[in-house]
Amino acid sequence: MARKTANDDPLAPVTLAVGQEDLLLDRAVQEVVAAAKAADADTDVRDLAPDQLQPGTLAELTSPSLFAERKVVVVRNAQDLSADTIKDVKAYLGAPAEEITLVLLHAGGAKGKGLLDAARKAGAREVACPKMTKPADRLAFVRGEFRGLGRSATPEACQALVDAIGSDLRELASAVSQLVADVEGTIDEAVVGRYYTGRAEASSFTVADRAVEGRAAEALEALRWSLATGVAPVMITSALAQGVRAIGKLASARGGRPADLARELGMPPWKIDRVRQQMRGWTPDGISVALRAVAEADAGVKGGGDDPEYALEKAVVTIARAARSRGRAQGTP
């Protein structure tokens, strides 16, 4: 979810949206436009790309009007503005016009940093829109979406949705909206499974979960479905590695409450409970065998072998057998 500065008035003279997450940038713009139209339904909105804002253009757009109309001027990719136009924008920041809201969308980083610094120095309202590259960030985003819509979803449901949909925030937001519109009460993992069965079953994390649980047949089925639907082999080896390492971490940790272990191991509490269930039957030797299998598969899918699919199947079977070291099998290859 986009983070805002203490000045949280969307009708502030200048709003600076910083980051590269397109959905959050668009939402920052939509929030300003909605507030402006709520204040004046006839608000004039100008949404401009860098090449549309030439030297002098901003002065024309922000000059006093005979009708004193409210206006929102949106400048996208402000880091790509020409040097002369940046001078115009900096001058405007020193004396913004009344009834006009300027929204600058900036990717952050070194390019155009002078404009970024100038806007901040001028006291612009800032909305952070960072690219969400970490699974934990996307999980927090989904939770925030449910909260924002006034609904509750279990941690397992949020994780299942992220596993099923992937990294596209627009798709995640759309999925949350659909579930909220269609389902009454708390949204749980079973509900997510019903709506997104095909995608969830094809996720790399489903392959990993079934493998570390010793369910070889189901793991192989999920693996073949994943590959058939275009999941990258390297994503599957990554999920397998995470699954086995989580079991290894928890197996070597001291006992304690999920919250305490979560802090110690860097996992959310709900995942501690899940991994505890998955680790039944695992031995230290089994974990070592599984880690070697993951390493071999990783090398195989990155060019060290002739058949990435075979490398993955071999790893899945080896991990499932290691998980069954105390006879906990559910299905055989």
Side-chain angles (χ1 to χ4, degrees):
M1 184 178 294
R3 299 187 298 276
K4 303 169 187 174
T5 55
N7 175 17
D8 197 21
D9 180 8
L11 292 181
V14 181
T15 286
L16 178 64
V18 184
Q20 300 179 42
E21 192 61 71
D22 289 340
L23 174 64
L24 300 184
L25 291 168
D26 286 345
R27 285 184 173 182
V29 173
Q30 291 164 8
E31 182 181 27
V32 172
V33 171
K37 286 186 175 292
D40 181 353
D42 295 326
T43 294
D44 181 19
V45 179
R46 304 294 180 91
D47 198 324
L48 307 172
D51 60 352
Q52 295 176 294
L53 196 67
Q54 299 297 321
T57 304
L58 184 62
E60 293 178 12
L61 292 173
T62 58
S63 60
S65 168
L66 291 175
F67 303 101
E69 65 181 355
R70 182 177 289 277
K71 187 178 293 183
V72 175
V73 179
V74 180
V75 180
R76 296 183 182 272
N77 297 311
Q79 73 279 355
D80 295 331
L81 292 171
S82 69
D84 288 338
T85 301
I86 286 177
K87 290 180 182 178
D88 287 352
V89 177
K90 286 182 177 180
Y92 177 82
L93 292 173
E98 293 185 8
E99 300 299 309
I100 292 178
T101 299
L102 175 64
V103 184
L104 299 174
L105 275 58
H106 195 293
K111 188 176 183 181
K113 190 173 184 299
L115 177 58
L116 194 63
D117 292 341
R120 287 169 171 162
K121 186 176 181 179
R125 167 183 179 259
E126 185 168 344
V127 182
C129 306
K131 197 73 176 176
M132 295 191 180
T133 57
K134 297 179 181 179
D137 293 337
R138 295 191 286 274
L139 185 59
F141 171 80
V142 168
R143 289 172 176 164
E145 290 291 289
F146 279 117
R147 282 196 301 270
L149 294 172
R151 294 294 297 278
S152 60
T154 66
E156 294 81 4
C158 294
Q159 183 65 56
L161 197 59
V162 172
D163 290 348
I165 301 298
S167 60
D168 191 309
L169 289 200
R170 293 186 189 279
E171 290 194 28
L172 284 169
S174 176
V176 169
S177 297
Q178 180 181 10
L179 289 169
V180 167
D182 293 354
V183 179
E184 295 182 359
T186 299
I187 295 165
D188 59 19
E189 188 175 13
V191 169
V192 175
R194 286 199 302 271
Y195 271 73
Y196 299 98
T197 298
R199 298 179 74 163
E201 290 302 319
S203 82
S204 55
F205 289 102
T206 300
V207 178
D209 283 342
R210 298 298 85 81
V212 299
E213 290 163 3
R215 298 156 67 175
E218 293 178 34
L220 287 171
E221 181 181 359
L223 170 63
R224 288 159 187 159
W225 191 308
S226 294
L227 295 172
T229 54
V231 176
V234 69
M235 297 297 293
I236 299 174
T237 55
S238 176
L240 289 170
Q242 290 182 48
V244 176
R245 286 172 186 156
I247 288 172
K249 285 182 179 180
L250 192 56
S252 60
R254 297 177 181 177
R257 297 177 303 172
D260 295 332
L261 288 170
R263 284 191 294 271
E264 179 184 344
L265 303 178
M267 299 180 192
W270 67 263
K271 188 170 183 179
I272 296 292
D273 292 333
R274 173 178 286 183
V275 176
R276 271 179 170 165
Q277 295 176 355
Q278 292 176 334
M279 67 184 287
R280 294 169 187 161
W282 280 91
T283 65
D285 287 344
I287 293 172
S288 297
V289 168
L291 287 173
R292 285 197 298 272
V294 171
E296 291 174 3
D298 189 55
V301 303
K302 291 179 179 177
D306 297 328
D307 190 342
E309 183 173 338
Y310 172 74
L312 286 169
E313 288 187 356
K314 181 180 177 182
V316 164
V317 171
T318 302
I319 293 168
R321 285 176 177 168
R324 301 202 314 262
S325 57
R326 293 180 188 170
R328 200 172 49 85
Q330 292 187 38
T332 55

